[in-house]
Amino acid sequence: MSDLLYSEEEEALRSAVRGLLADRCDAATVIARVESDTPLDRELWKALTDGMGLAGLLVPEDLGGQGATHREAAVVLEELGRAVAPVPYLTSAVVATETLLGCAGSEAAELLGALAAGRTVGALAVSLAVAPGAPFEGVRHEKGALHGELTGIADAVGVDVLLVPADGGLHAVHTAQDGVTVTPRTSLDLTRPLATVTLDGARARELTPDAGAAVRRGLRAGAALLASEQLGIAEWCLTETVRHTKERHQFNRPVGSFQALKHRLAQLWTEVVNTRAAARYAADTLATGSADADVAAALAQAYAAPVAVRVAEEALQLHGGIGMTWEHPVHLYLKRAKADATAYGTAGRHREALAALVDLQAP
């Protein structure tokens, strides 16, 4: 098995991404962004893609990408999770990119180059709730055009191209054309909005006749690397809660000095450390092409999803009254953690998948 510790290059990448987010994605900026009509921060996305080339980490160099691995992408997602950054990195640079990597031919290669450069944002038109290997909805393909409606599509608002399953195949649809309507829907996590996509005679280019394999590849990468985002969420919540309990005083002493709170925070720390191990393992198995990738992805989501929610809930409670205000960012983290808990399959769905993969029979 590979070394799961962070390499010097990965730590340097983390430092660069964290520095950029500190400058351009502070809590007040994110709150203002989600209150606007344009939740996607295009300027931040441009800085991450044009400036740092992060959109192409998973794309081979001969296709215009960085030729890096899922380990580096996981580090980026940890930092984006820590900032609850309103950018489509997971949906475009991971899920859509991995889906295209599962397609052969020049159409997919051309799109990969565009996504890697960051000049095009892509999204897989499959509901965010669908787990790897689970059935998913498609639309009707008729004479080169697509007809139908797809719901629960993450980051579809403002996207440039959609990867749409239709009649067994996977098709690329540019959203700027007639016949494509993307309708925002009210979602819990305002930093990763959902939408309904309606296609009424939209022209499409076929990427592969076998959508199942490509979509499964994309969703597996999404589930596996989502754990790194959940790790970032949990780490921020724990760090800020520890800081707050050191500064907040009652009875002339920091509230963090009370044994009951120490025990609660120590338990959260243990769970965050375990989440890091699961997330790193999932990213490493994808990076190395390990046969354990399915097991690692299911394990990571089965563990990381409830941990991120629990740490965010504790952060909200232990911040007291200030944590209940809109101005304090902890609500952004709780909403993202809750939404992530149902993304790419619930923890229960992944536990079932894990049991099947390791042949663990129910009692």
Side-chain angles (χ1 to χ4, degrees):
M1 187 177 69
S2 301
D3 185 353
L4 299 184
L5 297 177
Y6 299 102
S7 67
E8 290 184 9
E9 292 78 8
E10 289 165 350
E11 290 292 5
L13 174 62
R14 178 194 308 284
S15 178
V17 175
R18 186 175 295 189
L20 175 65
L21 294 174
D23 290 339
R24 302 196 180 204
C25 193
D26 60 277
T29 300
V30 177
I31 291 173
R33 172 66 58 180
V34 299
E35 290 176 333
S36 72
D37 295 329
T38 53
L40 172 62
D41 190 337
R42 283 282 184 175
E43 289 302 312
L44 177 59
W45 179 248
K46 184 176 181 180
L48 291 167
T49 56
D50 282 359
M52 302 181 70
L54 299 183
L57 287 180
L58 299 181
V59 179
E61 291 184 61
D62 60 349
L63 294 178
Q66 303 299 319
T69 73
H70 301 80
R71 289 173 60 117
E72 287 80 16
V75 169
V76 173
L77 281 166
E78 286 180 34
E79 294 307 311
L80 294 177
R82 286 179 64 93
V84 207
V87 293
Y89 191 84
L90 181 66
T91 47
S92 183
V94 174
V95 177
T97 295
E98 275 286 328
T99 302
L100 286 170
L101 287 169
C103 303
S106 59
E107 293 283 357
E110 181 183 339
L111 261 182
L112 277 170
L115 262 60
R119 62 178 180 269
T120 297
V121 179
L124 177 62
V126 170
S127 171
L128 184 62
V130 174
F136 54 87
E137 293 183 348
V139 296
R140 190 174 81 258
H141 182 258
E142 188 175 295
K143 298 179 180 178
L146 302 184
H147 304 263
E149 183 177 275
L150 298 164
T151 59
I153 311 303
D155 289 332
V157 177
V159 78
D160 301 303
V161 63
L162 293 165
L163 310 182
V164 183
D167 296 343
L170 188 68
H171 304 261
V173 176
H174 289 274
T175 57
Q177 65 175 306
D178 293 338
V180 181
T181 304
V182 179
T183 307
R185 298 301 182 195
T186 302
S187 53
L188 175 63
D189 177 16
L190 298 176
T191 63
R192 180 173 288 145
L194 304 179
T196 296
V197 175
T198 304
L199 304 173
D200 185 13
R203 307 303 299 179
R205 296 179 296 168
E206 185 177 80
L207 298 168
T208 177
D210 181 15
V215 168
R216 185 183 181 282
R217 175 172 176 164
L219 295 180
R220 183 180 69 172
L225 296 189
L226 177 63
S228 292
E229 177 180 289
Q230 290 162 327
L231 170 62
I233 293 167
E235 283 188 322
W236 183 92
C237 289
L238 178 58
T239 300
E240 286 301 304
T241 303
V242 170
R243 183 190 60 77
H244 177 76
T245 56
K246 286 180 178 179
E247 295 177 355
R248 179 77 168 89
H249 282 66
Q250 282 186 340
F251 310 111
N252 292 322
R253 54 187 290 198
V255 296
S257 66
F258 295 112
Q259 190 174 48
L261 295 192
K262 286 183 178 180
H263 286 180
R264 287 168 70 173
L265 291 169
Q267 177 62 34
L268 295 180
W269 180 84
T270 301
E271 293 179 1
V272 170
V273 169
N274 291 340
T275 299
R276 182 181 298 111
R280 290 294 290 169
Y281 179 54
D284 187 72
T285 56
L286 287 178
T288 58
S290 170
D292 290 335
D294 288 339
V295 171
L299 175 63
Q301 272 312 295
Y303 190 85
V307 167
V309 172
R310 186 158 50 250
V311 178
E313 288 175 341
E314 287 280 60
L316 179 65
Q317 186 176 63
L318 295 180
H319 271 84
I322 192 174
M324 299 297 294
T325 64
W326 182 259
E327 290 76 15
H328 196 282
V330 70
H331 66 92
L332 297 173
Y333 292 84
L334 179 56
K335 291 170 184 174
R336 173 67 73 88
K338 281 282 193 181
D340 281 357
T342 60
Y344 307 117
T346 62
R349 170 70 175 76
H350 285 287
R351 282 193 293 270
E352 291 176 1
L354 183 60
L357 286 167
V358 300
D359 196 25
L360 180 64
Q361 302 299 319

